Amino acid sequence: MTTVTAPATTAGSSVPVVPGRAVTRLGVRQIRRGALIVVALAAGMTALVAATYDSIMADPAAAGSLQALAGNPAIRTLFGEPVALDTTGGFTVWRVGTVIAVLLGVWAILATTRITRGEEDAGRWDVLLSGRVTLRAAVIRHVAAVMTATVAAGGAVSVVLLLVGAPSAGALVHGAGVGLLGLYFVAVAALAGQVFPARAAATGTAVAVLGVGLLLRMVGDGIIDLGWLRWLSPFGLLALSSPFHQDRILPLLVLLAATALVTATAVGAAGHRDVRGGLVATSSGRQARLLLLGSVEAFAVRRLSRPWTGWALGIGAYYLLIGATAVSITEFLADNPALAGEAANAGFAELGAVEGFTATLFAILALPVGGFTAVRMGAFITAETDRQMTLLSAQPVSRLRLLGAELLATAAGAVALATVAGALTWAGVAAVSGRLGLLAAAQGAWNILPIVLLSLAAAALAAGWAPRATAVAGALPATGGFLLLVIGESVDAPGWVRNLSPFAHLAPVPLHTVDWPATLMMTGIAGAMIAAAMIGYQRRDLRS
Amino acid sequence: MNSDFALRTAGLTKRYGRLTALDDLTLEVCAGEVFGFLGPNGAGKSTTIRLLLGLARPTAGQAWVFGVGAADVARAHRLLAYVPADVALWPQLTGAEILHLQASTGPGVDYAYQAELVERFELDLSKPARTYSTGNRQKVALVAAFATRAPLLVLDEPTSGLDPLMERVFRTAVAAARDRGQTVFLSSHQLAEVEAVCDRVAILRAGRLIQVAPIGELRGLHRSEVTLTYTGQPPNLDTIAGVQDVRQPGEGRLRFTLTGPPGPALTALADADITALAVREPSLEEIFLDYYGTEAVR
């Protein structure tokens, strides 16, 4: 009997002992920049807020306005239920905990679907998996890379809290909670990436899970009878762990168990599917749908329509909730004149009226709608980089028209999103027999459009001159501007610094009338940026 | 038509930092001809096409499509259709939807011919592009381009993903385009393809144009290879004009290359006792090797 031996590898070639390590390195390479930014942001924001605590508390007036601020429903919905505000740690957790958790969750989802399903979708895993690595191993190693980053973010938060002298139990509970929440969303995104054969569907589903989790926490925080809902939401579990107050471990164990379950399901699913396939099969054929394929403008609208629906659902649900709770919260404030007075001192005048309450909440509408424009322009550049735009660019269509069509469609989508938010706020108020005019609600929502236009213009400017920075640039005016104002107020920054934020120039509509000079100014700046964007986009080489 | 030349470039140059991708390309493609653009990978073929289409801006020089500046894409692209080297399609659209999008944004389509092409390329248009193989994506782009009435077709390595049967369909389509008076600019590193369909060929290497010649002339410029068997004394070819590289591959066999008119060599051979004689025309592959040297051909 003869023994068949495997052919020896070519002399002189080096074969890595563990081929998977190369895959891990690949995963790490693809996320390291984003991971560094997220960890730095988590640590930096925590440090910044913790550092300002003593100075704020030293001033009794500031401490009073802080209490009023904590009572402001807009801030409460955004930042969560304030507990243990009288400690550095408690204050920091309340002030930036939710923001960091959302930031980390969203990054975890985007990074995970990008380097797993996105790479597979683009065909780059075909080569990768022709080597010695199995699909399941590749998924595990990529997911592990993102998970490491989220654990690092949680660890960084803990370390910062310990360094500023917060009690170690609370610091560890909060850091662990933040890290676990990141792990959970990596797992959710990984599972979505196994179920759906397209990156957009996977990302959309995972973001929807995040959105629902956030809404459950808000409802659970807002309505005491529904407080148990928070056990169903990762954000709710984070709140239930109550760092620096009760330091409960059980909610974190629940989150850990959920994460382990979802991760195991994702890894199991990866072993039961084809490369480039999902658990949900793509339809093998269908009737042609020729609607909105007649021109580049129509096609821009068509590409927008599906993601727009997702954004509209998320934003709509949030503002319907705001509308529905507006009456009870404003009545509560109206019944507590002392509280309302303090809120007025803190700059939140007439929160006792529905108009005042909705006006403060419409201001933060600029964040998701501005984000929408940044993400859409980012997708436009991705289509160019992935060469899907090449065939259209070779048609008798000027570059001006290509970019113009995209900007028009995105701007129209943003206006429609704001309109949806306004209409659903009105519907929510009307459902509980409150009084808010439909036009007033719409005006409040439309009032933020100059900031959204600035976001779109900044993204376009980057698309024209520095396409790689498109999504980041688009996030600057809304998200960056909001953070600048919040941080600027926290550290009592000079007026001109705060005035750099477009939010500093936003009138509270529908409580007051629109600040037309500021609105026209912002629109004018956006217009100039778009003109510059057009010049750059016409001149540069297309990326492909 | 604005110009006798379908395509014209003057001193076209593209640099990426210190790398010169295309160096001073001056080229004229006549209206109505099938023009081959040959070169190995990385020679600058795709860069040239991106400049011709205005997808990239030249560092120096200019390009025109039927006299219209390449930068004026809205006008220039009314006169051309393009098939990229590596076709990427919108993954969520079906083949039919992509053809519709291309038709409604393009320079005009012959729908009857489009239907005929879909049938000949055996393309299933009901599938989403996500599920298409490389070859099928290429077919969608080819059908879209061939079905236009654009006077110029710019095809960048269009058959790299097609099987031999589909390559034949492609060649038929190129011939039909020529018959309709369309100009075809065909970039390729497949010599057989260029040999089969092109009237003239430009050869590009490392960003530089090496030669432009009609297919026939390109061959005539180069040698024939003569192999013969003989009995008795070997023929004496040492001083014969045009004979080079005389070798003896075996007992009673002789091989040499011949350039120019064959008269003197035939006279010399008449004195010997030749039992068999074979003359072979070099393939473009060998002409290629002559230009590039072996190390440059991948």
Side-chain angles (χ1 to χ4, degrees), chain A residues 121 198 284-286 288-289 293-294 299 302-303 386-389 393-396 399 538-539 541-542 544, chain B residues 14 50 54-57 74 77 82 86 88-94 97 101-102 104-106 126-127 130:
Chain A
D121 210 7
S284 54
R286 62 172 168 85
R289 294 192 284 264
L293 286 177
F299 186 49
R302 178 170 169 141
R303 275 181 290 125
D386 290 350
R387 302 185 316 277
Q388 284 145 10
M389 219 45 146
S393 313
Q395 298 289 63
R399 295 253 191 109
Q538 254 186 319
R539 283 190 186 168
D541 293 354
L542 292 182
S544 56
Chain B
K14 181 68 179 177
R50 287 168 57 74
L55 301 180
R57 301 280 183 250
H77 290 185
Y82 169 54
D86 189 355
L89 303 172
W90 299 98
Q92 69 277 25
L93 297 190
T94 65
E97 288 163 354
L101 174 68
Q102 287 298 111
S104 46
T105 54
S126 71
K127 287 186 174 173
R130 179 188 312 289

Side-chain angles (χ1 to χ4, degrees), chain A residues 60-121:
Chain A
S65 70
L66 173 68
Q67 288 296 339
L69 204 68
N72 167 26
I75 299 292
R76 264 177 86 115
T77 340
L78 252 193
F79 294 70
E81 188 186 5
V83 290
L85 281 192
D86 50 348
T87 65
T88 311
F91 172 72
T92 310
V93 167
W94 169 75
R95 194 71 204 256
V96 287
T98 304
V99 175
I100 290 175
V102 171
L103 182 81
L104 184 64
V106 170
W107 177 79
I109 290 170
L110 295 181
T112 307
T113 53
R114 174 167 60 84
I115 68 169
T116 58
R117 177 51 74 177
E119 289 294 291
E120 195 178 332
D121 210 7

Side-chain angles (χ1 to χ4, degrees), chain B residues 61-127:
Chain B
Q62 262 188 296
W64 297 268
V65 178
F66 290 107
V68 179
D72 185 1
V73 292
R75 279 178 66 215
H77 290 185
R78 237 173 264 160
L79 304 165
L80 63 83
Y82 169 54
V83 175
D86 189 355
V87 181
L89 303 172
W90 299 98
Q92 69 277 25
L93 297 190
T94 65
E97 288 163 354
I98 289 162
L99 287 183
H100 183 82
L101 174 68
Q102 287 298 111
S104 46
T105 54
V109 170
D110 181 341
Y111 283 103
Y113 186 47
Q114 188 191 66
E116 194 184 320
L117 285 168
V118 168
E119 197 160 310
R120 274 203 252 146
F121 277 108
E122 296 171 11
L123 193 55
D124 181 355
L125 288 179
S126 71
K127 287 186 174 173

Side-chain angles (χ1 to χ4, degrees), chain A residues 119-499:
Chain A
E119 289 294 291
E120 195 178 332
D121 210 7
R124 287 188 279 269
W125 274 24
D126 291 5
V127 182
L128 183 72
L129 297 175
S130 66
R132 291 189 282 159
V133 180
T134 62
L135 173 62
R136 177 187 283 194
V139 168
I140 291 174
R141 284 177 180 274
H142 279 76
V143 165
V146 190
M147 284 189 162
T148 310
T150 63
V151 170
V157 168
S158 279
V159 168
V160 168
L161 286 172
L162 287 172
L163 284 178
V164 297
S168 53
L172 292 178
V173 164
H174 183 57
V178 169
L180 271 173
L181 184 126
L183 287 182
Y184 174 78
F185 283 112
V186 174
V188 167
L191 179 58
Q194 306 313 307
V195 173
F196 298 100
R199 176 181 163 191
T203 307
T205 307
V207 169
V209 170
L210 185 142
V212 169
L214 205 53
L215 273 179
L216 285 179
R217 195 223 73 195
M218 286 170 184
V219 174
D221 269 349
I223 304 168
I224 293 164
D225 287 347
L226 294 178
W228 56 270
L229 276 178
R230 293 186 292 181
W231 285 96
L232 302 179
S233 152
F235 295 99
L237 291 168
L238 195 60
L240 286 169
S241 74
S242 193
F244 303 104
H245 182 54
Q246 293 172 305
D247 293 332
R248 294 164 75 189
I249 301 294
L250 182 65
L252 297 185
L253 291 179
V254 172
L255 189 53
L256 180 66
T259 305
L261 185 70
V262 177
T263 309
T265 314
V267 169
H272 287 96
R273 65 176 185 88
D274 298 340
V275 177
R276 293 228 212 179
L279 293 185
V280 176
T282 2
S283 63
S284 54
R286 62 172 168 85
Q287 278 283 310
R289 294 192 284 264
L290 301 182
L291 190 71
L292 292 176
L293 286 177
S295 65
V296 287
E297 288 81 7
F299 186 49
V301 173
R302 178 170 169 141
R303 275 181 290 125
L304 190 79
S305 58
R306 209 178 274 194
W308 183 89
T309 311
W311 286 88
L313 279 174
I315 293 173
Y318 179 80
Y319 278 91
L320 186 65
L321 181 77
I322 294 300
T325 54
V327 174
S328 73
I329 293 177
T330 49
E331 275 172 1
F332 167 75
L333 284 171
D335 293 344
N336 292 274
L339 204 59
E342 278 180 24
N345 287 340
F348 294 96
E350 296 185 55
L351 277 179
V354 172
E355 283 81 4
F357 175 70
T358 51
T360 30
L361 283 163
F362 279 137
I364 59 168
L365 175 63
L367 295 178
V369 182
F372 164 80
T373 63
V375 169
R376 289 317 303 162
M377 290 312 292
F380 176 67
I381 294 301
T382 306
E384 179 189 326
T385 315
D386 290 350
R387 302 185 316 277
Q388 284 145 10
M389 219 45 146
T390 309
L391 281 178
L392 270 189
S393 313
Q395 298 289 63
V397 174
S398 69
R399 295 253 191 109
L400 226 89
R401 203 176 142 198
L402 268 186
L403 181 62
E406 202 66 24
L407 291 175
L408 270 179
T410 310
V415 172
L417 280 181
T419 310
V420 165
L424 284 174
T425 306
W426 168 81
V429 173
V432 293
S433 317
R435 282 212 329 242
L436 178 70
L438 178 57
L439 189 64
Q443 278 173 341
W446 290 334
N447 184 47
I448 52 101
L449 287 175
I451 299 181
V452 173
L453 196 61
L454 279 175
S455 297
L456 179 62
L461 190 64
W465 294 94
R468 262 191 247 197
T470 300
V472 173
L476 271 184
T479 309
F482 185 76
L483 285 177
L484 180 72
L485 194 66
V486 170
I487 295 171
E489 279 173 359
S490 299
V491 301
D492 210 10
W496 67 268
V497 172
R498 276 180 271 177
N499 281 337

Side-chain angles (χ1 to χ4, degrees), chain B residues 7-11 25-29 35 37 48 185 202 209 212:
Chain B
L7 276 174
R8 196 156 74 79
T9 69
L25 176 75
T26 300
L27 194 67
E28 281 156 354
V29 177
F35 190 90
F37 197 50
T48 307
F185 185 85
L209 185 66
V212 187

Side-chain angles (χ1 to χ4, degrees), chain B residues 29-51:
Chain B
V29 177
C30 302
E33 72 176 330
V34 178
F35 190 90
F37 197 50
L38 270 178
N41 296 328
K45 302 191 297 292
S46 291
T47 302
T48 307
I49 288 177
R50 287 168 57 74
L51 295 173

